Amino acid sequence: MGLRSGPIALTGATGHVGRAVRAHLDGLPNEVRALGRDDDLPAAVRDAETVVHLAGTLAPAKGDTYASANLGTARALAAAVEGSSVRRIVALSYVDADPDADNAYLRAKGMGELALADTGVPLLVVRCPWIFGPVSDPGPSFAPFLAHGGRPVTVIGKGTQRLAPVYVEDVAEALVRAAVEPEAPTGTYALAGPDEIDLDTMLELLNGAGVRERHVPPSIARLLAHLAPQLNPTLVEVLLADSLPHDPPLAPELGMTTRGPRDVYAAPVR
């Protein structure tokens, strides 16, 4: 059976993962409809064959909330696909998404998954831990941890949080393959890197050995969440927690492997 060749609507197209997905779609015959916040979602989806849904964030912009940025975008897509020609939805989510979670981000992601499932359109939910890119563009999860001018990197928590970071290019490949391969699975899967490491180790791989770190104890971080403009309680709790997969692995289902930071950051960064 050949690959799906119909139009693909891509939400969140300007983000870190969205840019990588667009690059992976280059060379395929599919028309790609890259959608941002102000684009006409119903028009783009109406005669699309597949939707890749990336819209959402752990750090809502001013005027947004976790519900509007994560659940609201999913509900908007669910409304748009009603009566459309869409035959598959591929949605990027987070490893700890749960509609019953106390954390506003995890709850919104989980409820967004349910909203998409309720459409009845075949759905693949891809739950990822923290996603990283190359040092030149590490992505929103890790850009705040880049060392500049020898200054220490601020780390929320003890740095012992366990992670299975997954490379953005592998995420993009998986999402594209899931969108165009008719035999790709549906359901909820995890896409994680091959290695489980702690946050401090990740920052050494990102910045090179000898990077200086300033750890903010959890109790202080929770207090700062109410005072520092760049923080909030929801974000702090996610940063303090492990980021590990819990669902069946997607990579074997797609016949691919994933890379971790040791594979990508092969040489220390000076």
Side-chain angles (χ1 to χ4, degrees):
M1 185 180 296
L3 300 179
R4 300 182 189 274
S5 58
I8 296 175
L10 175 64
T11 71
T14 61
H16 189 231
V17 177
R19 296 193 303 273
V21 168
R22 292 167 68 180
H24 278 255
L25 286 168
D26 283 348
L28 295 180
N30 312 75
E31 175 191 354
V32 179
R33 298 169 182 173
L35 299 166
R37 175 191 296 268
D38 299 322
D39 291 315
D40 190 339
L41 178 63
V45 166
R46 189 174 300 120
D47 64 342
E49 184 174 16
T50 306
V51 178
V52 178
H53 179 60
L54 308 178
T57 183
L58 178 57
K62 186 176 181 180
D64 277 332
T65 65
Y66 284 102
S68 66
N70 296 284
L71 174 56
T73 53
R75 284 177 170 167
L77 176 58
V81 301
E82 185 175 352
S84 74
S85 61
V86 173
R87 299 174 60 187
R88 170 178 286 260
I89 300 171
V90 180
L92 180 65
S93 190
Y94 186 68
V95 286
D96 289 320
D98 183 345
D100 297 319
D102 292 332
N103 183 277
Y105 171 69
L106 304 180
R107 183 171 63 252
K109 297 302 284 186
M111 293 177 69
E113 294 177 4
L114 292 180
L116 296 177
D118 286 345
T119 65
V121 176
L123 170 67
L124 173 64
V125 173
V126 183
R127 290 178 173 171
C128 289
W130 290 14
I131 298 170
F132 73 97
V135 174
S136 59
D137 184 19
S141 293
F142 291 105
F145 297 118
L146 281 175
H148 298 284
R151 294 189 297 272
V153 175
T154 298
V155 180
I156 300 296
K158 299 178 180 179
T160 56
Q161 300 96 310
R162 305 299 294 176
L163 316 174
V166 60
Y167 190 39
V168 65
E169 295 296 331
D170 296 333
V171 176
E173 178 185 350
L175 294 171
V176 170
R177 292 177 66 165
V180 302
E181 294 180 2
E183 302 305 317
T186 57
T188 301
Y189 288 83
L191 186 72
D195 302 318
E196 181 180 321
I197 60 177
D198 61 39
L199 180 56
D200 278 353
T201 299
M202 175 65 191
L203 301 192
E204 290 182 2
L205 292 168
L206 176 64
N207 290 290
V211 62
R212 298 167 58 210
E213 298 178 12
R214 178 191 297 116
H215 291 90
V216 181
S219 59
I220 301 301
R222 292 184 173 103
L223 175 62
L224 289 175
H226 298 278
L227 302 174
Q230 70 272 29
L231 295 176
N232 64 68
T234 295
L235 173 60
V236 165
E237 291 305 327
V238 173
L239 294 177
L240 287 172
D242 294 340
S243 184
L244 299 171
H246 311 293
D247 299 288
L250 177 62
E253 297 289 329
L254 297 176
M256 60 178 287
T257 58
T258 59
R259 287 164 285 184
R262 288 191 175 94
D263 303 307
V264 175
Y265 307 141
V269 179
R270 299 299 182 188

